[in-house]
Amino acid sequence: MSQVDAISDVVDKAVEEGKPIYISPGDQAYLSGMYANMTITGMNVLRYTTRLAIQRGDESHIPDSSQPESLPLIDGIFKEVAVAEW
């Protein structure tokens, strides 16, 4: 998928320019209801992008979601990737 390839290109460009990566699964990251599928997809993109950023030595910024139910998942994803890649 060209969209997934573009994530890698963006991370490379950020590393090249010395700028951090800003990653968000979405402001309204609901883990239940009709938007749960989009939230889970956003979390997978967050995991993939964070992994690339850490592998390539870039800094990643992950904002807090306005949905408190998603914060433990976002935190867990970041910790999982950081431990696996460092």
Coordinates of all heavy atoms in Angstrom, one line a residue:
M1 N 0.8 -1.2 0.0 CA 0.0 0.0 0.0 C 0.9 1.2 0.0 O 1.8 1.4 0.8 CB -0.9 0.0 1.2 CG -2.0 -1.0 1.2 SD -3.0 -1.0 2.7 CE -3.7 0.6 2.7
S2 N 0.6 2.1 -0.9 CA 1.4 3.4 -1.0 C 1.3 4.2 0.3 O 2.3 4.9 0.6 CB 1.0 4.2 -2.2 OG -0.4 4.5 -2.1
Q3 N 0.2 4.2 1.0 CA 0.0 5.0 2.2 C 1.0 4.5 3.3 O 1.6 5.3 4.0 CB -1.4 4.9 2.8 CG -2.4 5.5 1.8 CD -3.0 4.5 0.8 OE1 -2.4 3.4 0.6 NE2 -4.1 4.8 0.3
V4 N 1.2 3.2 3.4 CA 2.1 2.7 4.4 C 3.6 3.0 4.0 O 4.4 3.3 4.8 CB 1.9 1.1 4.6 CG1 2.9 0.5 5.5 CG2 0.5 0.9 5.1
D5 N 3.9 2.9 2.7 CA 5.2 3.3 2.2 C 5.5 4.8 2.5 O 6.6 5.1 2.8 CB 5.3 3.0 0.7 CG 5.3 1.5 0.4 OD1 5.6 0.7 1.3 OD2 4.9 1.2 -0.7
A6 N 4.5 5.6 2.4 CA 4.6 7.0 2.7 C 5.0 7.3 4.1 O 5.7 8.2 4.4 CB 3.3 7.7 2.3
I7 N 4.5 6.5 5.1 CA 4.9 6.7 6.5 C 6.4 6.5 6.6 O 7.0 7.3 7.3 CB 4.1 5.6 7.4 CG1 2.6 5.9 7.4 CG2 4.7 5.7 8.8 CD1 1.8 4.9 8.0
S8 N 7.0 5.5 6.0 CA 8.4 5.3 6.1 C 9.1 6.5 5.5 O 10.2 6.9 6.0 CB 8.8 4.0 5.3 OG 10.1 3.8 5.4
D9 N 8.7 7.0 4.4 CA 9.3 8.2 3.7 C 9.2 9.4 4.6 O 10.2 10.2 4.7 CB 8.6 8.5 2.4 CG 8.8 7.4 1.3 OD1 9.7 6.5 1.5 OD2 8.0 7.3 0.4
V10 N 8.1 9.6 5.3 CA 8.0 10.7 6.2 C 8.9 10.6 7.4 O 9.6 11.6 7.8 CB 6.5 10.9 6.7 CG1 6.4 11.8 7.8 CG2 5.6 11.3 5.5
V11 N 9.1 9.4 7.9 CA 10.0 9.2 9.0 C 11.4 9.5 8.6 O 12.2 10.2 9.3 CB 9.9 7.8 9.7 CG1 11.0 7.5 10.7 CG2 8.5 7.6 10.3
D12 N 11.8 9.0 7.4 CA 13.1 9.3 6.9 C 13.4 10.8 6.7 O 14.4 11.3 7.0 CB 13.3 8.6 5.5 CG 13.5 7.1 5.6 OD1 13.8 6.6 6.7 OD2 13.2 6.3 4.6
K13 N 12.4 11.5 6.2 CA 12.5 12.9 6.0 C 12.7 13.6 7.3 O 13.5 14.6 7.4 CB 11.3 13.4 5.2 CG 11.4 14.9 4.9 CD 11.3 15.2 3.5 CE 11.2 16.6 3.2 NZ 12.4 17.1 2.6
A14 N 11.9 13.2 8.3 CA 12.0 13.9 9.6 C 13.4 13.6 10.2 O 14.0 14.5 10.8 CB 10.9 13.3 10.6
V15 N 13.9 12.4 10.1 CA 15.3 12.1 10.6 C 16.3 13.0 9.8 O 17.2 13.6 10.5 CB 15.6 10.6 10.4 CG1 17.1 10.3 10.7 CG2 14.7 9.8 11.3
E16 N 16.1 13.1 8.5 CA 17.0 13.9 7.7 C 17.1 15.3 8.1 O 18.1 16.0 8.2 CB 16.6 13.7 6.3 CG 17.5 14.2 5.2 CD 16.9 13.9 3.8 OE1 16.8 12.7 3.4 OE2 16.5 14.9 3.2
E17 N 15.9 15.9 8.5 CA 15.8 17.3 8.8 C 16.0 17.5 10.3 O 15.9 18.6 10.8 CB 14.4 17.8 8.4 CG 14.2 17.9 6.9 CD 12.9 18.4 6.5 OE1 12.1 18.7 7.4 OE2 12.7 18.5 5.3
G18 N 16.1 16.4 11.1 CA 16.2 16.6 12.6 C 15.0 17.0 13.3 O 15.1 17.7 14.3
K19 N 13.8 16.7 12.7 CA 12.6 17.1 13.3 C 11.9 15.9 13.9 O 12.0 14.8 13.4 CB 11.7 17.7 12.3 CG 12.2 19.0 11.8 CD 11.3 19.6 10.8 CE 11.9 21.0 10.3 NZ 11.0 21.6 9.3
P20 N 11.1 16.1 15.0 CA 10.4 14.9 15.6 C 9.2 14.5 14.8 O 8.6 15.3 13.9 CB 9.9 15.5 17.0 CG 9.8 16.9 16.8 CD 10.9 17.3 15.7
I21 N 8.7 13.3 15.0 CA 7.5 12.8 14.4 C 6.3 13.0 15.3 O 6.4 12.8 16.5 CB 7.6 11.3 14.1 CG1 8.7 11.0 13.1 CG2 6.3 10.7 13.6 CD1 8.5 11.5 11.7
Y22 N 5.2 13.6 14.8 CA 4.0 13.8 15.6 C 3.0 12.7 15.2 O 2.6 12.7 14.0 CB 3.4 15.2 15.3 CG 2.2 15.5 16.1 CD1 2.2 16.1 17.3 CD2 1.0 15.4 15.5 CE1 1.1 16.4 18.0 CE2 -0.2 15.7 16.1 CZ -0.1 16.2 17.4 OH -1.3 16.6 18.1
I23 N 2.6 11.8 16.1 CA 1.8 10.7 15.8 C 0.5 10.8 16.7 O 0.6 10.9 17.9 CB 2.5 9.4 16.1 CG1 3.9 9.4 15.5 CG2 1.7 8.2 15.5 CD1 4.8 8.3 16.1
S24 N -0.6 10.6 16.0 CA -1.9 10.6 16.8 C -2.8 9.5 16.2 O -3.0 9.5 15.0 CB -2.6 12.0 16.7 OG -3.8 11.9 17.3
P25 N -3.4 8.7 17.1 CA -4.4 7.8 16.6 C -5.8 8.4 16.4 O -6.7 7.8 15.9 CB -4.5 6.8 17.7 CG -4.2 7.5 18.9 CD -3.2 8.6 18.5
G26 N -5.9 9.7 16.6 CA -7.1 10.5 16.4 C -7.6 11.1 17.8 O -7.4 10.5 18.8
D27 N -8.2 12.2 17.7 CA -8.6 12.9 18.9 C -9.7 12.2 19.6 O -9.8 12.1 20.8 CB -9.0 14.3 18.5 CG -9.4 15.2 19.7 OD1 -8.6 15.1 20.7 OD2 -10.4 15.8 19.7
Q28 N -10.7 11.7 18.8 CA -11.8 11.0 19.3 C -11.6 9.5 19.2 O -12.3 8.8 18.5 CB -13.1 11.4 18.6 CG -13.4 12.9 18.7 CD -13.7 13.3 20.1 OE1 -14.4 12.6 20.8 NE2 -13.2 14.4 20.5
A29 N -10.6 9.0 20.0 CA -10.2 7.6 19.9 C -11.1 6.7 20.8 O -10.7 6.3 21.9 CB -8.8 7.4 20.2
Y30 N -12.3 6.4 20.3 CA -13.2 5.6 21.1 C -12.9 4.1 20.9 O -12.6 3.7 19.8 CB -14.7 5.8 20.6 CG -15.2 7.2 20.9 CD1 -15.3 8.1 19.9 CD2 -15.7 7.5 22.1 CE1 -15.8 9.4 20.1 CE2 -16.2 8.7 22.4 CZ -16.3 9.7 21.4 OH -16.8 10.9 21.6
L31 N -12.9 3.4 22.0 CA -12.6 1.9 21.9 C -13.9 1.1 21.9 O -13.8 -0.1 22.0 CB -11.7 1.5 23.1 CG -10.3 2.1 23.1 CD1 -9.6 1.8 24.3 CD2 -9.6 1.6 21.9
S32 N -15.0 1.8 21.8 CA -16.3 1.0 21.7 C -17.2 1.8 20.7 O -16.9 2.9 20.4 CB -16.9 0.9 23.1 OG -17.2 2.2 23.6
G33 N -18.2 1.1 20.3 CA -19.1 1.8 19.4 C -18.7 1.7 17.9 O -17.8 0.9 17.6
M34 N -19.4 2.5 17.1 CA -19.1 2.3 15.7 C -17.8 2.9 15.2 O -17.4 2.6 14.1 CB -20.3 3.0 14.9 CG -20.4 4.5 15.1 SD -21.9 5.1 14.3 CE -21.2 6.1 13.0
Y35 N -17.1 3.6 16.0 CA -15.8 4.1 15.6 C -14.6 3.3 16.2 O -13.4 3.6 15.9 CB -15.6 5.6 16.1 CG -16.6 6.5 15.5 CD1 -17.6 7.1 16.3 CD2 -16.7 6.7 14.1 CE1 -18.6 7.9 15.7 CE2 -17.6 7.5 13.5 CZ -18.6 8.1 14.4 OH -19.5 8.9 13.8
A36 N -14.9 2.2 16.8 CA -13.8 1.4 17.4 C -12.9 0.8 16.4 O -11.7 0.8 16.6 CB -14.4 0.2 18.2
N37 N -13.4 0.4 15.2 CA -12.5 -0.1 14.2 C -11.5 0.9 13.7 O -10.3 0.6 13.5 CB -13.4 -0.6 13.0 CG -14.2 -1.8 13.3 OD1 -13.9 -2.6 14.2 ND2 -15.2 -2.0 12.5
M38 N -11.9 2.1 13.5 CA -11.0 3.2 13.1 C -10.0 3.5 14.2 O -8.8 3.7 13.9 CB -11.8 4.5 12.8 CG -12.6 4.4 11.5 SD -13.3 5.9 11.0 CE -14.7 6.0 12.2
T39 N -10.4 3.4 15.5 CA -9.4 3.6 16.6 C -8.4 2.5 16.6 O -7.2 2.8 16.7 CB -10.2 3.7 17.9 OG1 -11.1 4.8 17.9 CG2 -9.2 3.8 19.1
I40 N -8.8 1.3 16.4 CA -7.8 0.2 16.4 C -6.9 0.3 15.3 O -5.7 0.1 15.4 CB -8.6 -1.2 16.4 CG1 -9.4 -1.3 17.7 CG2 -7.6 -2.3 16.3 CD1 -8.7 -1.2 19.0
T41 N -7.4 0.7 14.1 CA -6.5 0.9 13.0 C -5.5 2.1 13.2 O -4.3 2.0 12.9 CB -7.4 1.3 11.7 OG1 -8.2 0.2 11.5 CG2 -6.5 1.5 10.5
G42 N -6.0 3.1 13.9 CA -5.1 4.3 14.2 C -4.1 3.8 15.2 O -2.9 4.3 15.1
M43 N -4.4 2.9 16.1 CA -3.4 2.4 17.1 C -2.3 1.6 16.4 O -1.2 1.7 16.7 CB -4.1 1.6 18.2 CG -5.1 2.3 19.0 SD -4.3 3.6 20.0 CE -5.7 4.3 20.8
N44 N -2.7 0.8 15.4 CA -1.7 0.1 14.6 C -0.8 1.0 13.8 O 0.4 0.7 13.7 CB -2.4 -0.9 13.7 CG -3.0 -2.1 14.5 OD1 -2.4 -2.6 15.4 ND2 -4.2 -2.6 14.1
V45 N -1.3 2.0 13.3 CA -0.5 3.0 12.6 C 0.4 3.7 13.6 O 1.6 3.9 13.3 CB -1.4 4.1 11.8 CG1 -0.5 5.2 11.3 CG2 -2.1 3.4 10.7
L46 N -0.1 4.0 14.8 CA 0.8 4.6 15.8 C 1.9 3.6 16.2 O 3.1 4.0 16.3 CB -0.1 4.8 17.1 CG 0.7 5.4 18.3 CD1 0.2 6.8 18.6 CD2 0.4 4.5 19.5
R47 N 1.6 2.3 16.3 CA 2.7 1.3 16.6 C 3.7 1.3 15.5 O 4.9 1.3 15.8 CB 2.0 0.0 16.8 CG 3.0 -1.2 17.1 CD 2.4 -2.5 17.3 NE 1.8 -2.6 18.6 CZ 0.5 -2.7 18.9 NH1 -0.4 -2.8 17.9 NH2 0.1 -2.8 20.1
Y48 N 3.3 1.2 14.3 CA 4.2 1.1 13.2 C 5.1 2.3 13.0 O 6.3 2.2 12.9 CB 3.4 0.9 11.9 CG 4.2 0.8 10.6 CD1 5.0 -0.2 10.3 CD2 4.2 1.9 9.7 CE1 5.8 -0.3 9.2 CE2 4.9 1.9 8.6 CZ 5.7 0.8 8.3 OH 6.5 0.8 7.2
T49 N 4.5 3.5 13.1 CA 5.2 4.7 13.0 C 6.2 4.9 14.1 O 7.3 5.4 13.9 CB 4.2 5.9 12.9 OG1 3.3 5.7 11.9 CG2 5.0 7.2 12.5
T50 N 5.8 4.6 15.3 CA 6.6 4.8 16.5 C 7.8 3.8 16.4 O 9.0 4.2 16.7 CB 5.9 4.5 17.8 OG1 4.8 5.4 17.9 CG2 6.8 4.7 19.0
R51 N 7.6 2.6 15.9 CA 8.7 1.6 15.7 C 9.7 2.2 14.7 O 10.9 2.1 14.9 CB 8.1 0.3 15.3 CG 9.2 -0.7 15.0 CD 8.6 -2.1 14.9 NE 8.4 -2.6 16.2 CZ 7.2 -3.1 16.6 NH1 6.2 -3.3 15.8 NH2 7.0 -3.5 17.9
L52 N 9.2 2.7 13.6 CA 10.1 3.2 12.6 C 10.9 4.4 13.2 O 12.1 4.5 12.9 CB 9.4 3.7 11.4 CG 8.8 2.6 10.5 CD1 8.0 3.3 9.3 CD2 9.8 1.7 9.9
A53 N 10.3 5.3 13.9 CA 10.9 6.5 14.5 C 12.0 6.0 15.4 O 13.1 6.6 15.4 CB 9.9 7.4 15.1
I54 N 11.7 5.1 16.3 CA 12.7 4.6 17.3 C 13.9 3.9 16.6 O 15.1 4.1 16.9 CB 12.1 3.7 18.3 CG1 11.2 4.6 19.2 CG2 13.2 3.0 19.2 CD1 10.4 3.8 20.2
Q55 N 13.6 3.1 15.6 CA 14.6 2.4 14.8 C 15.6 3.3 14.2 O 16.8 3.1 14.1 CB 14.0 1.4 13.8 CG 13.4 0.2 14.3 CD 12.7 -0.6 13.2 OE1 12.5 -0.1 12.1 NE2 12.3 -1.8 13.6
R56 N 15.1 4.4 13.7 CA 15.9 5.4 12.9 C 16.4 6.5 13.7 O 17.0 7.5 13.2 CB 15.1 5.9 11.7 CG 14.7 4.7 10.8 CD 13.8 5.1 9.7 NE 13.5 3.8 9.0 CZ 12.6 3.7 8.0 NH1 11.9 4.8 7.7 NH2 12.4 2.6 7.4
G57 N 16.2 6.4 15.1 CA 16.8 7.4 16.0 C 16.0 8.7 16.0 O 16.6 9.8 16.4
D58 N 14.8 8.8 15.7 CA 14.0 10.0 15.7 C 13.2 10.1 17.0 O 12.9 9.1 17.6 CB 13.1 10.1 14.5 CG 12.7 11.6 14.2 OD1 13.3 12.5 14.8 OD2 11.8 11.8 13.5
E59 N 12.8 11.3 17.3 CA 12.0 11.5 18.5 C 10.5 11.5 18.1 O 10.2 12.0 17.0 CB 12.3 12.9 19.1 CG 11.6 13.2 20.3 CD 12.1 14.6 20.8 OE1 13.1 15.1 20.5 OE2 11.3 15.2 21.5
S60 N 9.6 10.9 18.8 CA 8.2 10.9 18.5 C 7.4 11.5 19.6 O 7.7 11.4 20.8 CB 7.7 9.4 18.2 OG 8.0 8.6 19.3
H61 N 6.4 12.3 19.2 CA 5.5 13.0 20.1 C 4.2 12.4 19.9 O 3.6 12.4 18.8 CB 5.5 14.5 19.7 CG 6.7 15.2 20.0 ND1 6.8 16.3 20.8 CD2 8.0 15.0 19.5 CE1 8.1 16.8 20.9 NE2 8.8 16.0 20.1
I62 N 3.6 11.9 21.0 CA 2.3 11.3 20.9 C 1.3 12.1 21.8 O 1.5 12.1 23.1 CB 2.3 9.9 21.4 CG1 3.3 9.1 20.5 CG2 0.9 9.2 21.3 CD1 3.6 7.7 21.0
P63 N 0.4 12.9 21.3 CA -0.5 13.7 22.1 C -1.5 12.9 22.9 O -1.8 11.7 22.5 CB -1.2 14.6 21.1 CG -1.3 13.7 19.9 CD 0.0 12.9 19.9
D64 N -2.0 13.4 24.0 CA -3.1 12.8 24.7 C -4.3 12.8 23.9 O -4.7 13.8 23.3 CB -3.3 13.5 26.1 CG -2.1 13.2 27.0 OD1 -1.4 12.3 26.8 OD2 -2.0 14.0 28.0
S65 N -5.1 11.7 24.0 CA -6.4 11.7 23.4 C -7.4 12.3 24.3 O -7.2 12.3 25.5 CB -6.8 10.2 23.1 OG -8.1 10.1 22.7
S66 N -8.5 12.8 23.7 CA -9.5 13.4 24.6 C -10.4 12.3 25.2 O -11.3 12.6 26.0 CB -10.4 14.4 23.8 OG -11.1 13.7 22.7
Q67 N -10.2 11.1 24.8 CA -10.9 9.9 25.3 C -10.0 9.2 26.4 O -9.1 8.5 26.0 CB -11.3 9.0 24.2 CG -12.3 9.6 23.2 CD -13.5 10.1 23.9 OE1 -14.1 9.5 24.8 NE2 -13.9 11.3 23.4
P68 N -10.3 9.3 27.7 CA -9.5 8.7 28.7 C -9.4 7.2 28.6 O -8.4 6.6 28.9 CB -10.2 9.1 30.0 CG -11.2 10.1 29.7 CD -11.4 10.1 28.2
E69 N -10.4 6.6 28.0 CA -10.3 5.1 27.8 C -9.2 4.6 26.9 O -8.8 3.5 27.0 CB -11.7 4.6 27.3 CG -12.0 5.0 25.9 CD -13.4 4.5 25.5 OE1 -14.2 4.0 26.3 OE2 -13.7 4.7 24.3
S70 N -8.8 5.5 26.0 CA -7.7 5.1 25.1 C -6.3 5.4 25.6 O -5.3 4.9 25.0 CB -7.9 5.7 23.7 OG -7.7 7.1 23.8
L71 N -6.2 6.2 26.6 CA -4.8 6.5 27.1 C -4.0 5.3 27.6 O -2.8 5.3 27.2 CB -4.9 7.6 28.3 CG -5.5 8.9 27.8 CD1 -5.7 9.8 29.1 CD2 -4.6 9.6 26.8
P72 N -4.5 4.4 28.3 CA -3.7 3.2 28.7 C -3.2 2.4 27.5 O -2.1 1.9 27.5 CB -4.6 2.4 29.6 CG -5.7 3.3 30.1 CD -5.8 4.3 29.0
L73 N -4.0 2.3 26.5 CA -3.6 1.6 25.3 C -2.5 2.4 24.5 O -1.5 1.8 24.1 CB -4.8 1.4 24.3 CG -4.6 0.6 23.1 CD1 -4.0 -0.8 23.4 CD2 -5.9 0.5 22.3
I74 N -2.6 3.7 24.4 CA -1.6 4.5 23.7 C -0.3 4.4 24.5 O 0.8 4.2 23.9 CB -2.0 6.0 23.6 CG1 -3.2 6.1 22.6 CG2 -0.9 6.9 23.2 CD1 -3.9 7.4 22.7
D75 N -0.4 4.5 25.8 CA 0.8 4.4 26.7 C 1.4 3.0 26.6 O 2.7 2.8 26.4 CB 0.4 4.6 28.1 CG 1.6 4.6 29.1 OD1 2.6 5.4 28.8 OD2 1.6 3.9 30.1
G76 N 0.6 1.9 26.6 CA 1.1 0.6 26.4 C 1.8 0.3 25.1 O 2.8 -0.4 25.0
I77 N 1.2 0.9 24.0 CA 1.8 0.7 22.7 C 3.2 1.3 22.7 O 4.2 0.7 22.2 CB 0.9 1.3 21.6 CG1 -0.3 0.4 21.4 CG2 1.7 1.4 20.3 CD1 -1.4 0.9 20.5
F78 N 3.3 2.6 23.2 CA 4.6 3.2 23.2 C 5.6 2.5 24.0 O 6.7 2.3 23.6 CB 4.5 4.7 23.7 CG 5.8 5.4 23.7 CD1 6.3 5.9 22.5 CD2 6.5 5.5 24.8 CE1 7.5 6.5 22.5 CE2 7.8 6.1 24.8 CZ 8.3 6.6 23.6
K79 N 5.2 2.0 25.2 CA 6.2 1.3 26.0 C 6.6 0.0 25.4 O 7.8 -0.4 25.4 CB 5.6 1.0 27.4 CG 5.5 2.3 28.3 CD 4.9 2.0 29.6 CE 4.8 3.3 30.4 NZ 4.1 3.1 31.7
E80 N 5.6 -0.7 24.8 CA 5.9 -2.0 24.1 C 7.0 -1.8 23.0 O 8.0 -2.5 22.9 CB 4.7 -2.6 23.5 CG 4.9 -3.7 22.6 CD 3.7 -3.9 21.6 OE1 2.6 -3.5 21.9 OE2 4.0 -4.5 20.5
V81 N 6.7 -0.8 22.2 CA 7.6 -0.5 21.1 C 9.0 0.0 21.6 O 10.0 -0.5 21.1 CB 7.0 0.5 20.1 CG1 8.0 0.9 19.1 CG2 5.8 -0.1 19.4
A82 N 9.0 0.8 22.6 CA 10.3 1.4 23.1 C 11.1 0.3 23.7 O 12.3 0.2 23.4 CB 10.0 2.4 24.1
V83 N 10.5 -0.6 24.4 CA 11.3 -1.7 25.0 C 11.8 -2.7 24.0 O 12.9 -3.1 24.0 CB 10.4 -2.5 26.1 CG1 11.0 -3.8 26.5 CG2 10.2 -1.6 27.3
A84 N 11.0 -3.0 23.0 CA 11.3 -3.9 21.9 C 12.5 -3.4 21.0 O 13.3 -4.1 20.6 CB 10.1 -4.3 21.1
E85 N 12.5 -2.0 20.8 CA 13.4 -1.5 19.9 C 14.7 -0.9 20.5 O 15.7 -0.7 19.9 CB 12.7 -0.4 19.1 CG 11.6 -0.9 18.2 CD 12.1 -1.9 17.2 OE1 13.2 -1.8 16.7 OE2 11.3 -2.8 16.9
W86 N 14.7 -0.6 21.8 CA 15.9 -0.1 22.5 C 16.7 -1.1 22.9 O 16.8 -2.0 23.4 CB 15.5 0.9 23.6 CG 15.2 2.3 23.1 CD1 15.7 2.9 22.0 CD2 14.3 3.2 23.7 NE1 15.2 4.2 21.9 CE2 14.4 4.4 22.9 CE3 13.5 3.2 24.8 CZ2 13.7 5.5 23.2 CZ3 12.8 4.3 25.1 CH2 12.9 5.5 24.3

